Amino acid sequence: KNQVEQSPQSLIILEGKNCTLQCNYTVSPFSNLRWYKQDTGRGPVSLTIMTFSENTKSNGRYTATLDADTKQSSLHITASQLSDSASYICVVSSFSGGYNKLIFGAGTRLAVHP
Amino acid sequence: DADVTQTPRNRITKTGKRIMLECSQTKGHDRMYWYRQDPGLGLRLIYYSFDVKDINKGEISDGYSVSRQAQAKFSLSLESAIPNQTALYFCATSDRASGGAPYNEQFFGPGTRLTVL
């Protein structure tokens, strides 16, 4: 069964600190892996997208890594800001039938405190 | 203006009522999707459509129906709402896959919070 599991479920850090969120997946066939940021009351917004051959992708203070052998990904946030408070969702795509079926993790809820 | 809009943003209704959630997009995308999000769970696909004449069931379509009235509009209906349909509903759009490229990203609307009493 295709699954995406994220840890931790929630995390509290102080402003300016770094943090790393984890994602493990069992999805086949694998197309790509995305990290989304979902602010409260908003829809998810893409942060990074990585295919099988990419093992690191950065977007400002966000750096995602992918280990396709172990089927693990991480999202590292550097020098956190209050605006980073959100849910971060790991999404794995499986391309079949002409489109990318998305399998969503439950998300990690991050709270950045001053 | 937002590229993907949903109406209403919030709705409280009673068991047995018929409810319609609307989605409109100005991105010019062919493909549209409806998802629901429940606490502690990932988003789950309800229905999707690749063009005006195309409707496909997702993993949790029971109790829902959809209508693709135009390329830009995709509506979700609950014919007889029940309390376990209380959830956050998201519409999304994507461009068609070009040459099998895996990057065709989905863009999400702001969501509709539905409560069924």
Side-chain angles (χ1 to χ4, degrees):
Chain A
K1 179 182 178 182
N2 288 332
Q3 283 187 314
V4 177
E5 296 182 347
Q6 294 186 241
S7 62
Q9 286 186 321
S10 61
L11 182 63
I12 299 173
I13 62 173
L14 293 177
E15 186 178 13
K17 298 296 186 182
N18 303 335
C19 67
T20 300
L21 314 180
Q22 301 291 344
C23 174
N24 296 332
Y25 63 91
T26 53
V27 175
S28 180
F30 175 90
S31 177
N32 60 65
L33 185 144
R34 313 158 190 242
W35 283 93
Y36 280 87
K37 179 185 180 187
Q38 184 178 15
D39 292 311
T40 301
R42 299 283 192 91
V45 175
S46 179
L47 292 174
T48 64
I49 301 177
M50 290 182 292
T51 61
F52 186 88
S53 60
E54 298 172 298
N55 53 26
T56 301
K57 185 75 72 81
S58 291
N59 178 0
R61 294 179 297 102
Y62 301 103
T63 299
T65 65
L66 173 63
D67 185 332
D69 291 332
T70 62
K71 298 186 178 180
Q72 295 180 326
S73 177
S74 65
L75 180 69
H76 186 75
I77 304 175
T78 303
S80 61
Q81 300 176 358
L82 298 179
S83 59
D84 292 331
S85 295
S87 286
Y88 292 84
I89 304 173
C90 177
V91 185
V92 179
S93 292
S94 186
F95 189 77
S96 77
Y99 90 106
N100 273 313
K101 177 182 178 182
L102 303 186
I103 298 98
F104 290 79
T108 292
R109 183 173 296 278
L110 174 66
V112 180
H113 289 182
Chain B
D1 288 340
D3 294 321
V4 184
T5 57
Q6 294 183 231
T7 56
R9 293 295 314 278
N10 288 283
R11 182 71 183 268
I12 299 174
T13 190
K14 294 182 179 180
T15 298
K17 294 293 186 181
R18 183 178 187 276
I19 295 296
M20 180 179 286
L21 309 183
E22 307 271 6
C23 177
S24 295
Q25 53 112 348
T26 58
K27 299 186 77 67
H29 288 167
D30 292 318
R31 302 180 174 196
M32 299 186 74
Y33 312 81
W34 275 105
Y35 293 91
R36 67 176 278 175
Q37 186 177 39
D38 297 278
L41 297 178
L43 275 74
R44 292 178 292 168
L45 183 63
I46 305 172
Y47 272 96
Y48 62 100
S49 169
F50 284 178
D51 65 37
V52 175
K53 300 177 182 177
D54 180 73
I55 299 293
N56 304 280
K57 292 183 177 180
E59 59 180 299
I60 53 163
S61 59
D62 287 348
Y64 302 95
S65 63
V66 291
S67 174
R68 185 80 184 270
Q69 306 94 320
Q71 188 205 36
K73 296 183 182 297
F74 193 34
S75 59
L76 175 72
S77 293
L78 288 68
E79 295 301 325
S80 180
I82 57 177
N84 75 1
Q85 291 178 313
T86 293
L88 195 52
Y89 289 85
F90 287 102
C91 174
T93 74
S94 71
D95 205 350
R96 67 181 63 193
S98 53
Y103 279 108
N104 57 327
E105 180 179 347
Q106 292 188 20
F107 296 85
F108 289 83
T112 293
R113 183 168 297 281
L114 176 66
T115 302
V116 184
L117 302 176

